[in-house]
């Protein structure tokens, strides 16, 4: 899953992006409101983490313009913690609001909740037949046995699981799993799908030629 962090404080941006990457997310960064709005409207993200006090275009304007074209979940992360600011943020289209300073564990929990709820998944566990994904611990079991996946393999499986029963295109996979600065090879998705089939069994993931991949419900 890929997250856009829009934050103008370099140290905070670096630390937050690092924490998210260590938690298994692909992360794109923006240091001002104009850059953040451009990226959030041009590319697909699973979540946008948005500061309010931004140069060039403030967070309120970013949120207002973004909501005209995208339904991407938005978590406001800001030092403005007054009640009226929280109300304004939520009423303006934000999905959640967290004031600085914050506990990283709480931030990550809110990130997980927003991503799964935007996909229509309320519970933190996803059960598909004998396959169980725990989005809190990012672990997978098959018929009760633990399956060891790389972070990228887990992210791909989670993406397919959150969209189970629907075709996920190769373009969607690249947009949701790879960061903007990564050089992604044309067959990299095929490699990860092949690894998942080897570890889970070939019946879980179906290839629809010319369309994408399907994880059966």
């Amino acid at each position: 899953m890929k997250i856009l962090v829009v934050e103008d404080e370099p140290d905070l941006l670096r630390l937050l992006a690092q924490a998210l990457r260590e938690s298994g997310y692909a992360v794109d960064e923006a240091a001002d409101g104009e850059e953040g709005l451009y990226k959030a409207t041009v590319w697909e993200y699973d979540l946008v983490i948005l500061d309010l006090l931004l140069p060039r275009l403030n967070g309120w304007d970013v949120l207002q313009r973004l909501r005209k074209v995208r339904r991407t979940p938005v978590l406001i992360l800001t030092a403005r913690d007054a009640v009226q600011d929280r109300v304004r943020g939520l009423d303006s289209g934000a999905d959640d609001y967290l004031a600085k300073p914050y506990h990283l564990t709480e931030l990550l929990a809110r990130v997980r909740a927003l991503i799964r709820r935007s996909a229509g998944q309320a519970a933190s566990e996803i059960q598909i037949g004998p396959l169980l994904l725990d989005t809190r611990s990012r672990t997978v079991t098959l018929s009760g046995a633990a399956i060891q996946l790389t972070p990228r393999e887990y992210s791909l499986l989670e993406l397919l699981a959150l969209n189970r029963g629907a075709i996920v295109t190769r373009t969607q996979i690249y947009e949701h799993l790879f960061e903007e600065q990564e050089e992604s090879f044309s067959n990299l998705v095929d490699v990860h799908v092949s690894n998942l089939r080897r570890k889970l069994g070939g019946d879980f993931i179906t290839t629809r030629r010319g369309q994408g991949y399907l994880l059966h419900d």
Side-chain angles (χ1 to χ4, degrees):
M1 298 299 173
K2 186 159 70 172
I3 298 172
L4 173 64
V5 180
V6 189
E7 170 62 61
D8 67 319
E9 296 182 25
D11 290 341
L12 182 56
L13 177 59
R14 177 179 54 81
L15 291 173
L16 181 54
Q18 179 181 346
L20 291 167
R21 290 183 178 114
E22 290 176 352
S23 297
Y25 298 101
V27 181
D28 287 351
E29 304 171 13
D32 63 70
E34 286 189 0
E35 182 185 16
L37 179 62
Y38 172 79
K39 291 183 177 180
T41 53
V42 170
W43 292 300
E44 292 280 350
Y45 291 97
D46 297 287
L47 177 69
V48 174
I49 297 179
L50 178 66
D51 190 13
L52 293 177
L53 303 177
L54 295 167
R56 303 182 70 181
L57 190 67
N58 67 53
W60 301 116
D61 290 335
V62 172
L63 181 59
Q64 182 182 36
R65 298 185 192 184
L66 177 63
R67 278 294 170 256
K68 293 179 180 179
V69 293
R70 294 283 192 187
R71 299 176 61 185
T72 311
V74 173
L75 168 61
I76 290 179
L77 187 64
T78 178
R80 299 180 65 108
D81 61 351
V83 172
Q84 60 266 31
D85 290 321
R86 300 185 188 206
V87 171
R88 180 184 176 187
L90 295 171
D91 283 345
S92 297
D95 298 271
D96 202 355
Y97 195 110
L98 185 60
K100 303 173 185 176
Y102 57 87
H103 291 284
L104 182 60
T105 52
E106 179 184 3
L107 172 66
L108 293 175
R110 289 173 183 261
V111 166
R112 292 192 297 270
L114 287 170
I115 290 176
R116 68 173 183 262
R117 287 171 184 165
S118 70
Q121 175 72 32
S124 59
E125 293 184 343
I126 305 174
Q127 183 84 50
I128 305 173
L131 185 67
L132 178 65
L133 284 78
D134 189 329
T135 61
R136 291 170 299 185
S137 58
R138 296 177 64 85
T139 57
V140 176
T141 57
L142 181 62
S143 299
I147 304 297
Q148 300 300 319
L149 301 179
T150 66
R152 188 61 56 80
E153 289 168 358
Y154 173 85
S155 294
L156 174 56
L157 182 60
E158 184 182 45
L159 177 63
L160 293 172
L162 288 173
N163 294 276
R164 58 194 178 278
I167 295 174
V168 179
T169 67
R170 295 171 64 90
T171 299
Q172 288 176 305
I173 293 173
Y174 277 113
E175 287 184 339
H176 287 268
L177 265 64
F178 297 94
E179 299 178 3
E180 59 181 331
Q181 72 271 19
E182 285 189 270
E183 292 185 6
S184 53
F185 300 99
S186 60
N187 68 334
L188 200 52
V189 171
D190 300 315
V191 171
H192 290 314
V193 170
S194 177
N195 289 339
L196 284 177
R197 285 183 172 139
R198 176 173 52 82
K199 295 179 180 182
L200 302 177
D203 295 335
F204 280 101
I205 303 174
T206 298
T207 300
R208 295 288 178 86
R209 295 196 179 278
Q211 299 180 60
Y213 300 95
L214 175 69
L215 187 67
H216 296 286
D217 200 346

